[in-house]
Amino acid sequence: MADWVVEARDLQKVYGGVEPLEVLHDVNLQVAPGEFTAVVGQSGSGKSTLLNLIGALDRPTAGTIAVDGARLDQLTDDELAALRNTRIGFIFQYHHLLDDFTCLENALMPLYIRGTPTPADEARVRGLLARVGLGGRLDHRPNALSGGEQQRTAVVRALAVQPKLVLADEPTGNLDTHSGNDVFALMREMNRASGVAFILVTHDERLAAAAERELRIEDGHLVEVRRAG
Amino acid sequence: MRFEVRLALRHLLAGGWQTVLIVAGVAMAVTLVIFISGLIFGLQRRIVTTIIGTIPQVTISPPEPTPRVLAPPGAPLVATVEPRAIQRTTIDQWQLVTDAVSRLPHVSAASPEVDGQAIITRGSKELGVPVIGADPDGRNLITHLTDHLIVGHYLGLGMDEVVISYQQAQDLSVWLHDRVSLTASTGQIQVFRIGGIVDTGGFQSTSTPIYITLRAAQALFGEGTDVTNISLTLDDSFQANAVADQVAAIFGVKTDSWMRNNPQVLSAFRAQSATAFLISAFSLVAAGFAIASVLIVSVLKRSREIGILKAMGARGQQVLLTFTLEGLGIAIVGAIVGVFGGCGLILLFRAIPQPTRFPGQTPDALLPGIIDPRAIGLAMLAAIFITVVASALPARQAARLDPVEVIRG
Ligand SMILES: Nc1ncnc2c1ncn2[C@@H]1O[C@H](COP(=O)(O)OP(=O)(O)OP(=O)(O)O)[C@@H](O)[C@H]1O
Ligand SMILES: [Mg+2]
């Protein structure tokens, strides 16, 4: 097993254009397996940018990233896709479920992308859905679910492939406090139960404080705010 | 089930009425292609069988008299070219030629004949008509007179019997067993009985031939035991020129083919075929545009979904395949429905009868479309090909989509 689930060195990200904008500068980050990290920062500070780089959705201008030991800059597009599919789970601010598929099918989607889910996979996902309180909603379409239920489905979907790392970009940003707390508690519980590392971007200081570790992006730099002993 | 198939199916089902409409569009295009081509080729086949099918496709006649140089080589030339005094009007060794020709490829029947021109008279009424004197068994393979008999017979025609057309019978006011006399161009006159009356679709009494036996014609036209020409029919009407050229080259005789004698029919066929092709092509291309536009809308509508799938590890190739399959699904269902539609339409129009020309005639179909499996296969393949082409653009657009753009929200 790799020592770090995420190891980023000297990351720089500059968005091109008429006025080049350096969003990230000299960012170094190491995330241990099973660690629950919160990233905070002002709007526009580059939190999503960082998450997209770690999630292999975007490439850094300079520096290297390794996810679960695999150097992203050394992989082809198809290998990156495979890596996202097998080792990373994504949760976005807007739930981003597929409207034409049921709750269960949505949760199974990363497995479908890979092929046909095994009965064991399917049983595990059903179990997760039952644990997040969606056992009775398996055949419902997303538009029949509440925002909180949709986001809980998305959490299960992120965990469906048993990834090493879950990247969550303001997953509670669109929910009321109660549902937000629910979803956060769920992620925390899953983190403890499965040993999956989480990187959670949030504006909510309370949630950040409840994480094991808290990072802040300031002026393009990543600053360690707090780390649980 | 593969992911791409699962996704494409779900998209089509979720499309609801939109999917139904676009499938109907493809089905209509395929229906049109099958109907139009079936109709045009059916009409052409009817023309071939009713007009071309009743005339010989290739006719062999004696060689054209060649002017001969009379002076020996090297002698001074003095007004040397003279036409032969007597033109040959019969074919040398016609039995041998008939045998040899009937063994050539594509030749399905060869009928030695004495043909001429005569005046057919009944009382005060008379008509100048072409006369074909041939063995009925052989000639029937060319003209299929027995298919067009209204009364009487052709096979087993007696020496003193003649077969005339319905129109001629009307013009002469004669019917079966009535007597008529034939006056040959040589002045020879013979009396015949009406042995049969046919309807070959011709309307002009004076250009429609009448039929007597070979022996009767040899006697009427004073040809002894000679024949004036050999008529051929082919297994493929459109090989007529090739066969005619081949026969001319081998036997040193003059040949004619229906294709050379009826250039207007051929050019009409070509014009019809081109029209059918154009209509087919345009309707298929229109269907292709419709599919493309539906898929472009589908891709736009689903860009969020495509982005999320790619973030979750779907490869560009998978997205490409998904939308291509979506187009293919539309095309295959549309093509199948279209085949039923096209065949149904052809059968429907075949059931509508044409007005009959004489009492008791079995009516022909007004529009004799044919259901040609090759045309059907081709229409389906074309529809599917067009769809794949049409879905290429939207599918590539989908495959190239950058998930980051979408996730940004
Ligand atoms: N594709 C792009 N081209 C140019 N600039 C970009 C692009 N993407 C992001 N930016 C800029 O980079 C900066 C960081 O964006 P990012 O989305 O990472 O911020 P964020 O911290 O996630 O903000 P928020 O809390 O509002 O989500 C912003 O100023 C943004 O305008
Ligand atoms: Mg953001």
Side-chain angles (χ1 to χ4, degrees):
Chain A
M1 196 170 88
D3 295 340
W4 306 111
V5 172
V6 177
E7 184 169 25
R9 284 172 192 270
D10 305 328
L11 279 192
Q12 188 201 16
K13 179 67 184 179
V14 179
Y15 285 112
V18 204
E19 273 178 273
L21 177 70
E22 187 176 33
V23 180
L24 297 178
H25 181 78
D26 267 347
V27 167
N28 285 281
L29 172 66
Q30 288 169 330
V31 176
E35 206 169 23
F36 197 105
T37 307
V39 178
V40 294
Q42 285 181 344
S43 182
S45 58
K47 306 183 293 295
S48 298
T49 302
L50 178 65
L51 229 51
N52 289 342
L53 293 177
I54 296 171
L57 294 170
D58 202 357
R59 291 181 187 268
T61 311
T64 59
I65 306 170
V67 173
D68 197 25
R71 280 273 297 271
L72 301 188
D73 51 316
Q74 292 167 354
L75 300 181
T76 64
D77 281 354
D78 279 0
E79 286 166 338
L80 289 177
L83 177 120
R84 287 199 300 269
N85 183 248
T86 55
R87 301 197 221 169
I88 304 176
F90 290 92
I91 306 169
F92 306 98
Q93 176 168 8
Y94 306 96
H95 60 85
H96 284 313
L97 298 178
L98 273 53
D99 295 335
D100 301 323
F101 289 82
T102 64
C103 169
L104 175 63
E105 288 169 328
N106 264 292
L108 287 168
M109 197 53 68
L111 292 162
Y112 285 142
I113 291 172
R114 200 189 288 182
T116 306
T118 62
D121 282 333
E122 193 173 325
R124 190 165 41 75
V125 170
R126 280 173 183 275
L128 287 174
L129 286 170
R131 237 166 75 198
V132 305
L134 291 170
R137 315 297 303 269
L138 298 186
D139 293 329
H140 289 208
R141 297 284 163 111
N143 59 17
L145 302 176
S146 74
E149 288 167 335
Q150 291 176 354
Q151 205 56 302
R152 279 184 268 160
T153 307
V155 172
V156 174
R157 179 177 70 183
L159 293 166
V161 293
Q162 297 183 287
K164 290 281 166 30
L165 172 69
V166 170
L167 301 175
D169 195 348
E170 297 185 44
T172 60
N174 240 20
L175 301 177
D176 60 60
T177 316
H178 180 72
S179 310
N181 288 343
D182 254 13
V183 169
F184 180 81
L186 186 67
M187 291 192 291
R188 213 53 191 101
E189 181 195 335
M190 295 291 169
N191 164 250
R192 291 207 180 90
S194 58
V196 182
F198 272 73
I199 299 179
L200 168 72
V201 167
T202 182
H203 275 126
D204 190 329
E205 292 294 344
R206 274 184 322 103
L207 297 185
E212 278 180 275
R213 182 182 178 191
E214 190 179 337
L215 304 170
R216 176 181 299 276
I217 300 181
E218 265 171 11
D219 300 329
H221 294 274
L222 188 64
V223 185
E224 186 98 38
V225 177
R226 175 179 60 79
R227 187 162 201 176
Chain B
M1 201 190 328
R2 292 197 51 169
F3 164 70
E4 297 87 337
V5 179
R6 188 189 294 270
L7 204 59
L9 265 182
R10 197 58 66 92
H11 287 175
L12 289 177
L13 290 180
W17 279 109
Q18 198 185 353
T19 304
V20 171
L21 283 180
I22 188 66
V23 165
V26 175
M28 272 189 263
V30 172
T31 297
L32 192 66
V33 170
I34 290 175
F35 179 66
I36 292 282
S37 60
L39 197 63
I40 299 272
F41 294 121
L43 281 169
Q44 292 187 354
R45 190 155 83 180
R46 177 148 87 185
I47 292 168
V48 169
T49 53
T50 58
I51 299 177
I52 315 295
T54 61
I55 62 171
Q57 285 151 16
V58 174
T59 310
I60 302 173
S61 35
E64 296 278 10
T66 34
R68 274 188 303 182
V69 178
L70 294 179
L77 295 176
V78 191
T80 50
V81 179
E82 277 183 19
R84 268 167 69 177
I86 301 166
Q87 295 192 352
R88 280 204 59 80
T89 56
T90 58
I91 298 172
D92 290 331
Q93 306 207 285
W94 58 267
Q95 289 97 337
L96 289 179
V97 175
T98 305
D99 272 3
V101 164
S102 55
R103 279 195 293 273
L104 289 176
H106 293 302
V107 177
S108 52
S111 164
E113 301 171 354
V114 168
D115 294 351
Q117 197 69 30
I119 294 167
I120 181 168
T121 318
R122 163 77 173 190
S124 60
K125 295 178 175 158
E126 58 176 42
L127 287 171
V129 291
V131 180
I132 294 173
D135 171 40
D137 287 318
R139 179 71 198 196
N140 195 50
L141 294 174
I142 295 168
T143 314
H144 309 290
L145 276 190
T146 46
D147 296 347
H148 304 286
L149 274 171
I150 302 167
V151 287
H153 63 137
Y154 180 54
L155 301 181
L157 197 69
M159 269 286 284
D160 63 340
E161 287 184 309
V162 62
V163 171
I164 64 172
S165 77
Y166 178 75
Q167 197 59 45
Q168 288 159 341
Q170 295 277 301
D171 290 352
L172 295 167
S173 313
V174 292
W175 200 242
L176 200 62
H177 306 315
D178 285 347
R179 278 167 200 287
V180 292
S181 60
L182 288 188
T183 310
S185 34
T186 54
Q188 180 93 12
I189 302 178
Q190 271 179 28
V191 175
F192 288 84
R193 282 185 299 117
I194 305 294
I197 296 173
V198 289
D199 170 53
T200 51
F203 289 95
Q204 270 192 309
S205 290
T206 51
S207 61
T208 311
I210 65 171
Y211 296 86
I212 58 179
T213 62
L214 180 59
R215 294 279 305 284
Q218 283 169 336
L220 182 66
F221 293 107
E223 296 287 4
T225 57
D226 287 336
V227 303
T228 56
N229 51 275
I230 302 170
S231 295
L232 305 183
T233 194
L234 310 179
D235 57 11
D236 176 358
S237 307
F238 293 94
Q239 295 294 327
N241 284 350
V243 171
D245 291 344
Q246 193 186 9
V247 170
I250 297 175
F251 301 100
V253 288
K254 180 174 176 288
T255 55
D256 264 330
S257 82
W258 73 269
M259 291 165 80
R260 293 206 179 106
N261 291 343
N262 299 276
Q264 73 289 354
V265 174
L266 275 186
S267 63
F269 279 8
R270 267 188 226 111
Q272 285 176 351
S273 301
T275 309
F277 178 79
L278 272 183
I279 293 175
S280 301
F282 272 119
S283 56
L284 284 174
V285 168
F289 278 118
I291 292 174
S293 64
V294 164
L295 285 180
I296 286 170
V297 170
S298 171
V299 167
L300 283 179
K301 214 170 62 182
R302 297 180 189 283
S303 53
R304 191 185 65 106
E305 168 180 329
I306 297 163
I308 197 74
L309 286 169
K310 290 183 84 172
M312 289 191 300
R315 281 172 284 119
Q317 205 63 35
Q318 289 179 295
V319 175
L320 190 81
L321 186 58
T322 299
F323 283 90
T324 307
L325 282 175
E326 216 174 301
L328 211 57
I330 292 171
I332 290 173
V333 177
I336 291 171
V337 175
V339 166
F340 282 102
C343 294
L345 218 53
I346 287 176
L347 294 177
L348 188 75
F349 275 86
R350 273 216 297 237
I352 300 175
Q354 183 164 250
T356 51
R357 283 192 305 278
F358 56 86
Q361 184 196 26
T362 328
D364 276 340
L366 187 60
L367 295 171
I370 48 174
I371 294 174
D372 179 3
R374 277 175 314 170
I376 291 173
L378 222 61
M380 291 183 76
L381 279 184
I384 290 166
F385 173 75
I386 292 260
T387 310
V388 173
V389 172
S391 53
L393 183 79
R396 278 165 55 120
Q397 181 191 341
R400 290 223 188 102
L401 209 111
D402 181 1
V404 176
E405 302 286 319
V406 178
I407 295 158
R408 197 166 293 281

